[in-house]
Amino acid sequence: MSGSLWLRVPGGDTLPAIPRPRRTGPGDPAADPMDELADRLGGFIAAAVHPDEIAAILESDGMTDEHIRLTYGRHDSFGLAEELYERVPRAFPEPEDTPDPWKVSLTACLLRGLIFALPGLAYVLGAPLLEGPKDRLGLPAGTLTLLAGALIGWVWDQTLSHRAYSWLGLGDRAAAGRTLLAGAPAGALLGTAAALTVPGGPPFSYAFAAGQALYVGAATVLLVLGRERLLLAALAPMAAGSVLAFFLDLPLPVRIGLLLVSLLAACTLAVRELPVADGTRAAARRIRGWSQRRPGEGPVRWRMLRGAEEEFAPRGPRLGESVPYGVFGLGTGLLVLYAALGEVLAGGPAEAVAAPSAVALTLSMGPAEWLLHRFRSGSLAGLRGARSPRAFRLRMLATLTQCLAAYLAVLLALGVAGTLLWPGAPGLTGIRVATLLLLGAVMWTGLLLQSFGAVRPAAVVCASAAVAQSLALLTGTGQPRVVQLVVAGVAAAALAVLVCLLLGRATAHR
């Protein structure tokens, strides 16, 4: 999900307490303002690894550019910070033993990864209900119908979950609940509508796609609100039935019943977590207000009462801030889809479906989340222990290399295990392994940038890669495996450069 990884340090504000200026008596000689400022903030200036840190301290102290020009004769806070950085020698204090704000439970992350993958077992239970002639690409009946609904629903719920997480980050859980209450049903309708636009599927595939869309909306609600264990309990009947289906020929009514039990349980639990009554009353008040509004009332009068210099903007996160997260989800979703079906979509045999690669990428999201937190912990430790900007960059790169290598090792192990266990799966050749690892690097570095708030460049790179692969597929350019490898390699290189440029600055980690 598109949840922000920004966390509040236990104990409140992360900014240190800044000493106040000393008061002078009438007979005291006037002190040089620069000397007085350097003496007052000496501890912070000496511990800074970059002038930007000093500029942030000055701005948090309430110094405006006008005050800096009148008092210190410098153009702005950055110019003053650079001179203070040069004036005060480096003297780094030993870091205090503070709790790691980025420490998370590995079990909780693995649980989320398992929850992301478990819904795939529903296709095992529903397979006999989707029987029919293969489509024009040689894929099982209803495959394109289900993929269309899943992809559109995934993009919508990525956007929705970010907006809900934004409200949670502002401390307004009620607003997050209202957002999910309005957005989850809308996403289910969009996913169902997308599935209905794909013709030729068996009748049950459209009902399955509708249930799939409802589940994605319910799962989004429960995951955003931190109810992973409830969602796991809701999935238990379906998962148990899927395991039995590998060994027993379950009757169709039993299969349908298990699917419905898990779906209804997830939806019921999601509705229980949402402020349905409050949301209904709020919607009724809003509709009543629109119907009773007269000219000269409402937002126009409110805007006239505000000062001319104030920006007129709605309270809370803006809708446009969540759109890049949906674009990022669309790009990565298409890349994973092409990794599994690229050769088939290009006209290859149906046996070329690389489903274990998609399953491995899904299961790896749990370890990926944990390693993202480990990177934040490592970069924070590097920030405390580094003695210069260059030393910090080297520590950051070392931590980045370790975390990315660990994630790719987990992804490779999952890919190998899935290929060995999946009946009829194509072998993991060298080019398939390279593509899988490069695609994993794209997803992990993209999520890393997203966790630091740099989602727009990550979304541009992933969406551009998906567009390039789509164009190659539509025009028949190149061999599908080679195209996937090249596109994933270029995207991984672009994201690696962005990570080094954006996260190599100490101020990005404060």
Side-chain angles (χ1 to χ4, degrees):
M1 311 303 292
S2 294
S4 173
L5 290 177
W6 288 100
L7 298 180
R8 293 183 61 85
V9 176
D13 199 350
T14 61
L15 291 177
I18 301 174
R20 298 291 85 196
R22 292 191 300 269
R23 295 183 179 182
T24 57
D28 296 337
D32 179 22
M34 286 293 295
D35 291 339
E36 192 275 336
L37 183 63
D39 181 60
R40 179 165 66 94
L41 304 180
F44 303 113
I45 299 171
V49 298
H50 193 277
D52 286 354
E53 293 186 56
I54 305 173
I57 294 292
L58 295 175
E59 292 175 359
S60 68
D61 196 29
M63 293 190 186
T64 62
D65 290 344
E66 181 180 3
H67 172 76
I68 290 172
R69 284 192 293 269
L70 293 175
T71 307
Y72 304 103
R74 304 310 187 268
H75 182 68
D76 54 20
S77 61
F78 294 99
L80 179 59
E82 290 177 359
E83 185 163 339
L84 291 171
Y85 186 81
E86 295 176 357
R87 178 181 292 224
V88 178
R90 305 300 92 204
F92 301 101
E94 290 298 322
E96 301 177 358
D97 293 332
T98 56
D100 184 0
W102 299 105
K103 185 177 181 180
V104 296
S105 169
L106 175 60
T107 304
C109 293
L110 293 178
L111 176 63
R112 289 175 67 88
L114 180 63
I115 289 174
F116 293 154
L118 273 181
L121 293 176
Y123 300 105
V124 177
L125 275 180
L129 300 165
L130 297 172
E131 290 181 351
K134 294 185 177 181
D135 60 22
R136 59 184 181 278
L137 297 175
L139 295 171
T143 300
L144 297 180
T145 301
L146 299 176
L147 286 177
L151 186 61
I152 298 302
W154 166 253
V155 173
W156 174 268
D157 286 301
Q158 285 285 295
T159 308
L160 172 64
S161 60
H162 171 261
R163 183 161 177 80
Y165 274 121
S166 299
W167 280 116
L168 290 176
L170 294 174
D172 196 340
R173 189 177 180 88
R178 291 193 298 269
T179 299
L180 293 169
L181 179 61
L189 290 175
L190 281 175
T192 304
L196 292 175
T197 59
V198 180
F204 185 78
S205 65
Y206 299 105
F208 196 98
Q212 173 183 263
L214 287 172
Y215 169 79
V216 171
T220 300
V221 172
L222 294 173
L223 289 172
V224 169
L225 298 180
R227 299 294 187 262
E228 291 89 351
R229 297 184 185 276
L230 292 179
L231 182 57
L232 182 63
L235 291 172
M238 179 273 299
S242 300
V243 174
L244 289 177
F246 284 108
F247 306 99
L248 302 174
D249 186 14
L250 297 178
L252 291 182
V254 174
R255 292 174 180 266
I256 296 175
L258 290 172
L259 291 172
L260 288 177
V261 166
S262 287
L263 176 61
L264 291 175
C267 292
T268 302
L269 292 171
V271 170
R272 194 186 67 170
E273 296 294 328
L274 293 174
V276 178
D278 293 342
T280 303
R281 286 193 292 268
R285 285 194 301 267
R286 182 172 299 180
I287 294 173
R288 189 164 51 249
W290 289 340
S291 62
Q292 296 175 355
R293 183 174 297 165
R294 295 186 300 237
E297 294 184 348
V300 176
R301 290 184 61 188
W302 168 242
R303 185 172 185 177
M304 292 172 64
L305 291 174
R306 298 171 66 90
E309 72 282 356
E310 296 184 59
E311 180 185 1
F312 179 74
R315 174 181 173 271
R318 298 176 180 175
L319 286 171
E321 295 176 353
S322 300
V323 173
Y325 290 84
V327 176
F328 178 79
L330 177 61
T332 54
L334 285 173
L335 291 176
V336 173
L337 175 63
Y338 289 141
L341 300 176
E343 293 182 56
V344 179
L345 295 176
E351 291 75 15
V353 173
S357 297
V359 175
L361 287 166
T362 304
L363 281 172
S364 69
M365 287 298 100
E369 182 180 353
W370 185 77
L371 288 167
L372 288 174
H373 283 83
R374 296 308 305 159
F375 174 81
R376 298 304 297 265
S377 296
S379 62
L380 182 60
L383 188 63
R384 290 171 175 166
R387 298 294 187 267
S388 67
R390 183 174 182 274
F392 170 74
R393 283 194 295 270
L394 292 176
R395 288 197 177 201
M396 187 277 296
L397 290 174
T399 305
L400 175 67
T401 302
Q402 293 172 2
C403 292
L404 181 57
Y407 170 69
L408 294 181
V410 172
L411 179 60
L412 180 59
L414 291 172
V416 171
T419 301
L420 294 176
L421 297 174
W422 195 283
L428 269 181
T429 61
I431 193 170
R432 288 186 187 274
V433 170
T435 302
L436 176 63
L437 294 181
L438 286 172
L439 186 55
V442 168
M443 296 189 68
W444 195 82
T445 51
L447 290 171
L448 179 63
L449 290 171
Q450 177 179 296
S451 71
F452 277 87
V455 65
R456 287 178 174 83
V460 168
V461 171
C462 292
S464 299
V467 169
Q469 197 157 338
S470 300
L471 291 176
L473 179 66
L474 293 173
T475 59
T477 303
Q479 207 276 338
R481 294 188 191 179
V482 177
V483 171
Q484 292 176 18
L485 179 65
V486 172
V487 169
V490 172
L495 289 173
V497 171
L498 287 171
V499 167
C500 294
L501 291 177
L502 297 177
L503 305 187
R505 296 177 288 109
T507 50
H509 300 261
R510 297 293 290 226

